[in-house]
Amino acid sequence: MSAIELEDVTKRYGSFNAVDDLSLQVKEGELLCVLGPSGCGKSTTMRMIGGLERPTEGGVHIAGQEVTQQPPYERDCSIVFQDWALFPHKTILENVAFGLKMDGIDKTERKERARETLEMVQLDGFEDQKPKELSGGQQQRVALARSLIIEPHVLLLDEPLSNLDKRLKEEMQIELKEIHKELDQTMVHVTHDQSEAFTLADRIGIMNNGELVQVGAPPDVYNNPENQFVEEFLGDTNFLEGKVVETTSDGVVAETDLGCHVDIPVKNRKAAPSRGESVSISLRPENMRIRQSKIHNIKADGGDSRCAVGGQVDNVIYRGSMTRLYINTGSRKIFIEQQYDPDNEIEEQQDVVIQWDPERLVAFDGEETQFTAFEK
């Protein structure tokens, strides 16, 4: 039995479909991150799980029970919001114990449980303070403790870390991951931050234009994207535009706007595009390497000219441990990232060769569907 099941859920506002025919199962004890750009429908989806919105069509189930028409207070779930919504006049202990008070738990027990929960989120000793006396990260912990103390079957988190600075956000991500591990709590975490989703999630559900585009473990959605939107949304990449000029026994060859032909291995032969069809090829910066030599030396060095291109470095951007290089190939610019090496620095205006492993390419057909991976 799934902790949460959404069955063909649609949420319509007038003629606008905020969520369109979405089906999803969340496993017991799973931390699922729903990821997507602003306006994609991820918060609406979470609010339908929590009962703050009712689907126009479809059904919502929690722990095997249909709750589609139930109000929020009748559902076995709790929500942590982006703005935290703490009671400013109550102490931290009173804020955390508030849900237990509404449930009729006696004062002694709710204080004891509140202290235990505050200790779990590393806020023991702050019981008598008011929210305004705490930092943003500490207030976020209070909001989390207030939701956890009632022991919900499902914990929903609606971009709860978005108001924190980078350092605090990273600390809270690790803390939230540890709490999930300790409690084996089913959580649905909504975010637009790819790094946050990859840090936290057991699985990631990616949404776009109200539709659930892909669901999978973080390495799977990153390395095997269903379509071009997922590839582009999950990190930086160089997209090459091309046309198939040759089919081979193990793939296709495309003429590209990089100024060279590119070999594209195809594992799913049935999905391979035909000669003359358009393709888009993703070259992620971490999947390329750079040599300080000229393009005419590639074949002499035993390289494959369809897995490399020459160019000149236009810009070098130092980013601490990493360096980003913008390289002009003559027909277009691409970027590459590599570890900073003070003993082997590459300078602007220097001639270089960029090489890549064709097995690491991800390519998409004219309908923006990936065709390079094995069929699922």
Side-chain angles (χ1 to χ4, degrees):
M1 182 177 64
S2 301
I4 303 168
E5 183 174 2
L6 302 179
E7 187 176 7
D8 304 324
V9 168
T10 294
K11 180 61 181 179
R12 192 176 296 117
Y13 298 100
S15 60
F16 173 67
N17 281 4
V19 176
D20 191 10
D21 195 26
L22 186 150
S23 293
L24 173 68
Q25 291 185 338
V26 183
K27 304 169 188 174
E28 290 285 354
E30 179 178 39
L31 199 165
L32 176 81
C33 280
V34 181
L35 176 66
S38 297
C40 71
K42 56 187 185 295
S43 288
T44 302
T45 300
M46 188 218 70
R47 291 171 67 86
M48 286 191 288
I49 297 171
L52 301 176
E53 299 280 358
R54 289 188 179 179
T56 308
E57 300 171 8
V60 180
H61 297 77
I62 295 178
Q65 178 185 1
E66 182 168 3
V67 297
T68 312
Q69 301 302 321
Q70 289 184 1
Y73 56 83
E74 291 183 4
R75 303 189 185 197
D76 193 3
C77 63
S78 184
I79 305 176
V80 180
F81 294 101
Q82 182 177 346
D83 61 3
W84 311 328
L86 301 177
F87 298 114
H89 60 285
K90 293 182 180 292
T91 66
I92 300 307
L93 188 73
E94 290 169 338
N95 266 278
V96 173
F98 181 77
L100 298 181
K101 183 178 181 180
M102 293 297 98
D103 287 342
I105 305 299
D106 71 79
K107 188 174 183 179
T108 301
E109 182 181 348
R110 65 176 184 255
K111 281 188 174 181
E112 181 180 348
R113 287 173 59 180
R115 289 192 177 94
E116 291 174 354
T117 309
L118 283 169
E119 185 176 353
M120 181 174 60
V121 298
Q122 300 179 27
L123 281 178
D124 46 317
F126 291 83
E127 293 87 350
D128 297 327
Q129 296 191 32
K130 299 289 180 66
K132 66 180 181 180
E133 301 175 83
L134 273 58
S135 68
Q138 290 169 331
Q139 290 184 56
Q140 180 59 79
R141 288 185 176 94
V142 175
L144 180 60
R146 185 179 58 186
S147 289
L148 288 171
I149 196 171
I150 61 174
E151 299 179 346
H153 192 82
V154 171
L155 180 63
L156 306 173
L157 303 111
D158 188 13
E159 304 204 47
L161 310 183
S162 60
N163 292 333
L164 304 180
D165 62 36
K166 184 175 184 294
R167 182 182 62 81
L168 279 175
K169 181 182 289 190
E170 290 174 352
E171 288 179 3
M172 280 302 302
Q173 288 170 7
I174 299 301
E175 189 163 323
L176 189 57
K177 192 175 181 73
E178 290 299 317
I179 289 171
H180 170 252
K181 196 180 301 182
E182 178 183 344
L183 298 179
D184 197 28
Q185 170 79 57
T186 302
M187 298 182 182
V188 176
H189 184 104
V190 169
T191 182
H192 64 273
D193 186 326
Q194 298 96 322
S195 175
E196 186 169 300
F198 278 100
T199 299
L200 290 171
D202 297 319
R203 287 192 305 155
I204 297 174
I206 301 165
M207 292 190 67
N208 187 36
N209 294 328
E211 297 181 352
L212 186 64
V213 179
Q214 184 172 356
V215 182
D220 184 46
V221 295
Y222 187 82
N223 295 313
N224 191 16
E226 294 279 353
N227 59 31
Q228 195 166 329
F229 166 78
V230 175
E231 177 74 355
E232 192 167 13
F233 187 70
L234 297 180
D236 295 333
T237 191
N238 300 279
F239 272 113
L240 313 181
E241 300 303 321
K243 183 175 292 187
V244 175
V245 295
E246 180 185 348
T247 60
T248 66
S249 60
D250 59 356
V252 297
V253 179
E255 183 179 20
T256 71
D257 60 357
L258 192 58
C260 67
H261 287 58
V262 174
D263 274 324
I264 308 173
V266 179
K267 300 178 179 69
N268 179 12
R269 295 297 305 169
K270 292 185 292 184
S274 303
R275 186 169 182 171
E277 291 189 38
S278 297
V279 294
S280 294
I281 305 163
S282 173
L283 277 176
R284 287 204 180 273
E286 69 269 20
N287 291 337
M288 295 182 284
R289 61 187 185 277
I290 196 166
R291 289 209 334 245
Q292 299 185 48
S293 59
K294 295 184 180 296
I295 188 66
H296 64 255
N297 291 329
I298 290 176
K299 289 185 178 180
D301 293 346
D304 188 339
S305 59
R306 293 195 297 204
C307 303
V309 68
Q312 188 177 75
V313 178
D314 274 356
N315 292 287
V316 179
I317 299 178
Y318 173 68
R319 293 183 167 182
S321 62
M322 301 295 293
T323 302
R324 175 171 285 200
L325 308 170
Y326 288 87
I327 299 165
N328 191 337
T329 69
S331 57
R332 60 163 292 170
K333 289 184 180 181
I334 62 174
F335 65 92
I336 182 172
E337 289 182 343
Q338 63 178 21
Q339 288 288 131
Y340 173 66
D341 182 359
D343 298 322
N344 191 28
E345 288 196 59
I346 294 176
E347 300 177 350
E348 293 181 1
Q349 308 306 312
Q350 185 173 341
D351 290 328
V352 295
V353 171
I354 304 164
Q355 294 180 297
W356 58 87
D357 180 355
E359 294 292 334
R360 302 294 297 275
L361 293 180
V362 179
F364 306 86
D365 61 22
E367 296 181 354
E368 299 189 355
T369 301
Q370 190 201 156
F371 64 85
T372 43
F374 285 113
E375 187 173 12
K376 294 182 178 179

